[in-house]
């Protein structure tokens, strides 16, 4: 191995995209192996590589890590993006879990039947504007700092900018009532490592299309 983390997943966002975001934000280069067939996936299971027979799989520091949350926690801790003490870490965990709940709705959206898409999109908008984004708007307004926790760039900031940009792809005006988040988006998007990740040709994946949905169903559907 080259020493770079190696990511194994489909060639699309899914549950690996927050891992790509976090590594990129930390300035870490990584390699990717893309699953394209059910046989590739079944071989990983047969070889005992996947602890719970699930991807994402990230090979890092001699470990074969699975479970998205565990992977992200490790990367955040390794690259000093996880707060300075237990209290800051708890805050980061709470923020990340909230954002993950919102992102789960977006993750499942491409797989919803056509007749449910409009309703599901309305649900995403309602949750984003009434439950999740108000929390971060209030936090940023109250402490008047650039970042969510401890006035230092952390995993929570990375998750939030990913969520903002992802929701905006579906609902362009979603931040219209959130001036603090609008400013946060500009700040984060101009951070050198994130700015690089947002450029064409980076490892960031495009929004899922029909081809991605078909590939995922082909590989993982039992």
């Amino acid at each position: 191995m080259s020493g770079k983390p190696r990511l194994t997943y489909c060639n699309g966002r899914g549950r690996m995209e927050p891992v790509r975001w976090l590594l990129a934000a930390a300035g870490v280069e990584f390699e990717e192996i893309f699953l394209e067939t059910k046989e590739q996936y079944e071989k990983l299971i047969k070889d005992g590589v996947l602890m719970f027979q699930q991807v994402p799989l990230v090979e890092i520091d001699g470990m074969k890590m699975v479970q998205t949350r565990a992977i992200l926690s490790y990367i955040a801790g390794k690259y000093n993006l996880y707060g300075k003490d237990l209290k800051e870490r708890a805050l980061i965990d709470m923020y990340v879990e909230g954002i993950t709940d919102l992102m789960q709705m977006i993750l499942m959206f491409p797989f919803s039947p056509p007749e449910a898409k409009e309703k599901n999109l309305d649900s995403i908008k309602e949750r984003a504007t009434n439950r999740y984004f108000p929390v971060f708007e209030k936090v940023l307004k109250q402490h008047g700092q650039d970042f969510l926790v401890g006035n230092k760039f952390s995993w929570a900031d990375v998750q939030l900018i990913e969520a903002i940009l992802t929701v905006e792809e579906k609902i362009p005006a979603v931040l219209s009532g959130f001036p603090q988040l609008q400013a946060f988006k500009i700040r984060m998007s101009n951070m050198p490592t994130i700015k690089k990740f947002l450029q064409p040709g980076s490892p960031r994946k495009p929004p899922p299309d029909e081809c991605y949905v078909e590939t995922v169903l082909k590989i993982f559907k039992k």
Side-chain angles (χ1 to χ4, degrees):
M1 278 183 71
S2 66
K4 295 178 183 176
R6 185 163 66 179
L7 284 50
T8 300
Y9 199 71
C10 301
N11 188 8
R13 289 183 182 176
R15 298 190 187 280
M16 187 65 90
E17 193 69 356
V19 178
R20 298 184 187 106
W21 264 93
L22 194 56
L23 285 169
V28 180
E29 293 185 357
F30 52 87
E31 299 173 349
E32 296 199 73
I33 297 172
F34 297 124
L35 297 177
E36 297 174 343
T37 67
K38 197 173 189 70
E39 289 70 30
Q40 286 176 291
Y41 172 56
E42 288 174 342
K43 186 177 188 305
L44 288 174
I45 295 173
K46 185 179 178 183
D47 292 347
V49 175
L50 304 178
M51 184 181 289
F52 299 109
Q53 302 183 17
Q54 294 171 314
V55 289
L57 167 67
V58 174
E59 297 171 77
I60 184 171
D61 294 342
M63 297 185 292
K64 290 180 169 60
M65 294 196 71
V66 295
Q67 296 296 330
T68 310
R69 172 70 202 220
I71 294 165
L72 290 166
S73 297
Y74 183 82
I75 293 168
K78 178 178 173 70
Y79 295 106
N80 199 25
L81 296 169
Y82 212 172
K84 72 177 187 299
D85 55 31
L86 276 175
K87 286 187 176 181
E88 286 194 357
R89 184 172 170 175
L91 263 181
I92 290 168
D93 283 343
M94 285 194 289
Y95 293 158
V96 164
E97 287 294 314
I99 298 164
T100 301
D101 289 345
L102 175 61
M103 292 298 285
Q104 177 67 17
M105 298 174 71
I106 296 168
L107 192 72
M108 298 311 298
F109 181 78
F111 299 93
S112 55
E115 65 273 12
K117 277 193 160 45
E118 187 175 343
K119 181 183 176 185
N120 290 346
L121 194 60
D122 287 341
S123 294
I124 292 169
K125 182 179 179 180
E126 193 275 329
R127 292 285 180 87
T129 55
N130 293 322
R131 182 180 295 188
Y132 296 106
F133 287 173
V135 170
F136 302 108
E137 180 76 9
K138 183 178 178 182
V139 168
L140 292 167
K141 186 175 183 179
Q142 283 185 338
H143 66 37
Q145 297 170 341
D146 287 349
F147 305 108
L148 288 171
V149 179
N151 203 23
K152 185 182 175 189
F153 184 52
S154 77
W155 172 21
D157 299 303
V158 181
Q159 291 272 120
L160 182 55
I161 184 61
E162 180 193 0
I164 286 170
L165 295 178
T166 305
V167 174
E168 279 189 330
E169 287 173 349
K170 297 193 175 348
I171 308 157
V174 72
L175 290 188
S176 60
F178 301 102
Q180 298 291 334
L181 290 182
Q182 291 173 31
F184 175 86
K185 172 190 161 184
I186 292 169
R187 284 197 303 275
M188 293 302 109
S189 298
N190 283 309
M191 288 189 68
T193 54
I194 292 179
K195 190 171 185 178
K196 182 179 178 184
F197 189 60
L198 294 175
Q199 299 304 309
S202 85
R204 187 186 182 209
K205 303 302 177 229
D209 57 14
E210 287 184 14
C211 181
Y212 170 74
V213 171
E214 287 173 10
T215 301
V216 169
L217 294 175
K218 177 179 70 177
I219 296 172
F220 301 114
K221 199 169 184 181
K222 293 181 179 179

